[in-house]
Amino acid sequence: MPELPEVEVVRAGLERHVVGARLTTVDVLHPRPVRRDPRGPAGFAAALTGRRVEAARRRGKYFWLPLDSGDALLGHLGMSGQMLVQPVGAADERNLRVRFGLDRGGELRFVDQRMFGGLLVSAGGAELPPEIAHIARDPIDPEFDDELFVARVRRRTAGVKRLLLDQGLISGVGNIYADEALWRAQIHGDRPGDRLRRGQVVELLGHVRAVLGEALVQGGTSFDALYVNVNGESGYFDRSLAAYGQEGEPCPRCGTPIRRVAFMNRSSFFCPRCQPAPRIPRRV
DNA sequence: ACTACGTCCTGCTTGC
DNA sequence: TGCAAGCAGGACGTAG
C-alpha cells in the first residue's frame, strides 16, 4: 500500500537505476495499466520507444520520468504496483504488466497484481504533468504552504481524516499514515475540519510530517509482500505502528484496546479514549 | 466549491 | 474439502 514514503523510495531507485538510460523496447502485456493513456497501448509504446529518461520526479503518490521528447512517463502504484529493475532474462513476475528494455542493459518492469495503478505518457509533462496539476504539493515539499493548508482545513465541514486523504488538499497521505498521525495528535478522524482549532491543525500537520519522515528514513513501510522497491527488495516491515492494523491491541499511550470501524469502504483504527469521537457524530 | 458514494481489480483469508 | 463471501484501498466519476 504505497503512500508517499514508499513512492519516494521508488523514485530514488528510478533516479539511480534508470535516469540516463534510453528505452529501447516497450511491451504492454496487459491493457489495463495503460488505460488512462489516450493513445492506447500501441501509442503508449510508440511514444516511449527510443526516448531517453532525463530525471525522476514525484508529487504525492505520483512519480514521473521526464523524457528527451519533452513528454513524461507518469505512474501511480495504486495498491500493489511495483517498479522493478531486473536483468534481461530474469523470470517474468506473475503480474508483470509492462516491460521496458534499457540500452544500458537490464529491464524496467511494471508489476501490479490488483491493477489499481497505471502508467501513461503525459504530453509535455516533463515539468509537471497536466494530469496531476490538481494534486496538491506534499508536506515534504519545501514549497508546501502550511498556512494555506490550515486555512482550507478549517473551512471544510468534512471529517479531518477525509481531508487528510484529499489529495487536492495535501498529497501523499493514505489510510495508514492518516490513522497514525491522527493517533499521535489525539484527534478523532470524524472531527469536522471547521471544528478544529488552528493550533490543532498545525500540530496534526506536524505529526503527518513526522510519521512520513520516519517511514522515509526506514525506506518505506510495507504490510504485505506485494510492495517491493525498485531493487526488488521488500520494504521495511514496520512494527512501530500505534494504531493502524492494531485492532484489539492496547493503545501504546493509555492501554485501551484500539478500535476498528468501517470508513469509506475501508477501515479506520483509533484509540477510543485518546481520540474521543465528536459529540455530534457524522454519518460514515 | 464541496460532500458522499459507487466502481474498478486480484488473490489471500475466513466462514459455512 | 470446496466454494463463496469478505477484505485490502487510491483515484476518479457522478449526483446532489
Side-chain angles (χ1 to χ4, degrees):
Chain A
M1 310 157 203
E3 301 184 25
L4 183 156
E6 292 79 10
V7 180
E8 174 55 24
V9 168
V10 168
R11 188 208 62 78
L14 291 170
E15 183 164 74
R16 177 167 174 174
H17 296 287
V18 179
V19 169
R22 206 171 281 280
L23 307 176
T24 54
T25 59
V26 179
D27 295 308
V28 178
L29 305 175
H30 195 298
R32 181 164 171 81
V34 298
R35 65 194 177 281
R36 287 184 63 195
D37 194 308
R39 300 169 182 79
F44 169 86
L48 293 171
T49 304
R51 300 276 65 83
R52 184 175 174 276
V53 175
E54 302 206 308
R57 302 209 172 106
R58 183 188 57 75
R59 175 174 284 198
K61 303 170 196 171
Y62 283 93
F63 62 89
W64 71 97
L65 303 175
L67 306 169
D68 59 1
S69 59
D71 299 335
L73 174 59
L74 174 65
H76 194 292
L77 299 175
M79 285 183 60
S80 54
Q82 309 165 31
M83 291 292 272
L84 306 178
V85 175
Q86 299 280 41
V88 173
D92 286 4
E93 290 76 9
R94 177 174 171 76
N95 299 299
L96 177 60
R97 308 304 186 190
V98 184
R99 183 205 316 271
F100 304 90
L102 305 178
D103 65 346
R104 62 170 56 159
E107 293 179 351
L108 175 64
R109 298 178 177 186
F110 180 70
V111 177
D112 190 3
Q113 179 207 114
R114 292 172 224 182
M115 294 191 288
F116 275 37
L119 302 174
L120 64 85
V121 179
S122 173
E127 202 54 41
L128 178 69
E131 292 85 355
I132 60 168
H134 63 291
I135 302 291
R137 290 183 186 275
D138 61 62
I140 304 299
D141 187 326
E143 294 187 51
F144 183 87
D145 189 333
D146 287 26
E147 290 306 319
L148 178 63
F149 173 75
V150 172
R152 292 178 73 185
V153 166
R154 298 189 69 220
R155 282 199 298 265
R156 301 272 295 262
T157 59
V160 64
K161 180 168 175 180
R162 280 178 191 276
L163 301 179
L164 286 178
L165 298 178
D166 183 341
Q167 304 297 300
L169 265 184
I170 181 171
S171 67
V173 182
N175 204 34
I176 297 166
Y177 297 121
D179 278 1
E180 290 301 303
L182 287 165
W183 179 84
R184 291 190 185 195
Q186 303 188 56
I187 294 173
H188 193 287
D190 287 343
R191 291 278 300 280
D194 63 2
R195 306 266 288 268
L196 293 171
R197 292 186 300 277
R198 192 190 115 80
Q200 288 181 295
V201 184
V202 170
E203 191 184 325
L204 176 60
L205 178 57
H207 287 301
V208 169
R209 282 211 175 90
V211 167
L212 294 177
E214 287 166 29
L216 209 45
V217 166
Q218 292 162 350
T221 304
S222 176
F223 299 92
D224 57 41
L226 293 174
Y227 173 73
V228 181
N229 71 21
V230 74
N231 292 314
E233 296 164 354
S234 283
Y236 176 83
F237 195 102
D238 194 348
R239 301 205 178 106
S240 66
L241 293 174
Y244 184 84
Q246 307 300 309
E247 183 181 20
E249 296 296 317
C251 167
R253 192 164 40 218
C254 76
T256 304
I258 295 293
R259 279 195 54 200
R260 168 184 160 179
V261 297
F263 171 80
M264 292 170 75
N265 291 327
R266 60 203 73 175
S267 296
S268 283
F269 298 88
F270 67 100
C271 171
R273 181 166 167 190
C274 297
Q275 301 165 263
R279 272 183 286 119
I280 305 168
R282 56 185 47 252
R283 278 197 50 199
V284 179

